[in-house]
């Protein structure tokens, strides 16, 4: 079976995404940008940070800034509850915890099914790799360019 | 240099205090004394507003004494340096938030008192 699968993958290249839901959004991040998923624990708010930085938390002996993607993308505001998860996202030397209401899991998405971000979309569209549609509009997943997103987040933070 | 001396070098004295419901820490060597607060003492919205703020942490600055209004002052504890972390660059926090003390999963914000006075633009009382 494995060789067949390899041949099929070559014929129809796929990319793996870590998919999750936050607020009303279903989002995906390239799996190479995700280190692990953990429960949202104690958050320490920071003074004068951008609103999308919810604070910091300690994790494995390091300090992790926690990012609210809803605020970053101007789509509302995330809320931390007992079932809230953080995924640890990384790009280069930048590491951050990102709030997720529900983890949908890892999905291998055929590259041919990834549609370009909508033209003339809102500011969030500039941080999208594309969109993949499911059986209905409700099932669409917005695929994030996480590297660009985290770099923009840092630029916005230090520019203040 | 014996082990005891090495251990002595690897800790820093941190004074822990509350503003509102938040716990903060600061380098105890910056602190001159704890005093009763006055209305004009430093309060920074970024640190939260004091509930009662009856106390002030008094510290030295190049311009004279500074007074930060606080709710409660806890003990000075000797903290291993390896429990302290710099602020992550992605956070972009205020300049007076210089780092974090990690107490297991809890992150206690470490405050540079002199920077609070610079941020406020006043020492708190004259």
């Amino acid at each position: 079976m494995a060789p067949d699968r390899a041949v099929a993958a070559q014929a129809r290249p796929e990319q793996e995404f870590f998919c999750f839901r936050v607020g009303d959004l279903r989002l995906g991040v390239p799996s190479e940008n995700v280190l692990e998923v953990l429960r949202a624990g104690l958050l320490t708010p920071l003074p004068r940070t951008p609103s999308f930085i919810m604070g910091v938390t300690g994790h494995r002996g390091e300090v992790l800034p926690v990012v609210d993607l809803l605020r970053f993308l101007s789509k509302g505001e995330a809320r931390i509850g007992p079932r809230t998860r953080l995924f640890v996202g990384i790009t280069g030397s930048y590491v951050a915890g990102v709030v997720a209401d529900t983890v949908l899991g890892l999905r291998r998405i055929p590259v041919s099914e990834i549609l370009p971000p909508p033209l003339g979309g809102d500011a969030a569209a500039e941080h999208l790799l594309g969109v993949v549609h499911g059986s209905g509009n409700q099932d669409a997943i917005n695929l994030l360019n996480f590297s660009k997103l985290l770099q923009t987040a840092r630029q916005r933070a230090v520019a203040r | 240099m014996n082990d005891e001396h090495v251990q002595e070098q690897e800790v820093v004295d941190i004074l822990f205090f509350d503003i509102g419901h938040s716990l903060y820490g600061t380098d105890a060597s910056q602190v001159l004394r704890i005093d009763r607060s006055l209305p004009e003492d430093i309060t920074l919205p970024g640190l939260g507003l004091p509930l009662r703020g009856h106390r002030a942490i008094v510290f030295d600055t190049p311009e004279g004494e500074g007074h930060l209004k606080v709710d409660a002052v806890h003990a000075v504890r000797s903290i291993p340096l390896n429990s302290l972390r710099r602020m992550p660059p992605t956070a972009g926090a205020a300049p007076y938030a210089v780092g974090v003390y990690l107490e297991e999963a809890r992150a206690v914000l470490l405050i540079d008192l002199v920077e609070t006075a610079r941020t406020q633009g006043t020492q708190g009382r004259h």
Side-chain angles (χ1 to χ4, degrees):
Chain A
M1 290 299 288
D4 291 345
R5 192 175 294 173
V7 170
Q10 278 182 349
R12 201 171 180 228
E14 297 174 324
Q15 191 174 356
E16 189 176 62
F17 288 88
F18 170 80
C19 298
F20 60 100
R21 188 176 61 75
V22 58
D24 295 330
L25 296 181
R26 289 158 62 91
L27 300 171
V29 169
S31 59
E32 66 262 26
N33 292 126
V34 179
L35 293 179
E36 60 183 307
V37 182
L38 49 134
R39 277 180 196 274
L42 292 169
L43 268 188
T44 300
L46 297 179
R48 285 175 45 185
T49 49
S51 63
F52 60 81
I53 301 284
M54 298 184 81
V56 291
T57 189
H59 177 61
R60 297 187 190 273
E62 296 300 328
V63 181
L64 208 57
V66 175
V67 174
D68 174 356
L69 280 180
L70 290 180
R71 277 187 180 268
F72 182 85
L73 300 171
S74 304
K75 299 289 186 186
E77 183 178 335
R79 304 213 179 275
I80 301 280
R83 300 175 64 88
T84 306
R85 296 290 185 268
L86 299 181
F87 73 83
V88 182
I90 183 168
T91 175
S93 58
Y94 303 141
V95 182
V98 181
V99 176
D101 291 334
T102 308
V103 172
L104 303 173
L106 288 172
R107 299 208 177 159
R108 297 190 67 84
I109 298 173
V111 173
S112 59
E113 291 183 11
I114 299 174
L115 303 176
L119 284 175
D122 54 20
E126 68 178 293
H127 293 100
L128 290 183
L129 290 170
V131 181
V132 60
H133 290 290
S135 50
N137 257 354
Q138 298 294 320
D139 299 328
I141 297 177
N142 292 298
L143 305 174
L144 292 172
N145 183 340
F146 191 73
S147 299
K148 184 178 179 185
L149 187 148
L150 213 54
Q151 282 168 8
T152 306
R154 181 172 186 264
Q155 284 166 1
R156 285 190 198 170
V158 299
R160 290 160 57 88
Chain B
M1 189 181 290
N2 59 30
D3 287 347
E4 192 176 333
H5 185 65
V6 170
Q7 282 180 355
E8 195 176 323
Q9 283 187 326
E10 290 178 344
V11 298
V12 60
D13 288 340
I14 302 287
L15 173 74
F16 292 93
F17 58 95
D18 286 344
I19 299 177
H21 297 294
S22 299
L23 176 68
Y24 298 101
T26 192
D27 180 356
S29 68
Q30 286 190 330
V31 178
L32 298 175
R33 64 183 185 278
I34 310 300
D35 207 341
R36 289 183 182 175
S37 67
L38 294 179
E40 61 266 35
D41 286 349
I42 298 169
T43 56
L44 293 171
L47 295 178
L49 293 176
L51 297 175
R52 298 200 300 171
H54 286 173
R55 295 286 176 270
I57 295 176
V58 184
F59 54 96
D60 204 11
T61 79
E63 292 78 31
E65 288 187 352
H67 301 76
L68 176 67
K69 199 182 281 191
V70 301
D71 283 307
V73 178
H74 304 292
V76 173
R77 287 166 55 195
S78 294
I79 302 297
L81 276 178
N82 61 15
S83 298
L84 307 183
R85 298 288 182 276
R86 291 185 190 282
M87 197 60 68
T90 29
Y96 53 79
V98 289
V100 166
Y101 161 53
L102 279 182
E103 192 175 40
E104 297 184 356
R106 185 183 196 186
V108 179
L109 203 58
L110 299 176
I111 301 300
D112 182 334
L113 294 172
V114 177
E115 278 294 337
T116 64
R118 288 200 186 114
T119 302
Q120 180 94 341
T122 173
Q123 307 309 113
R125 63 178 83 173
H126 302 282

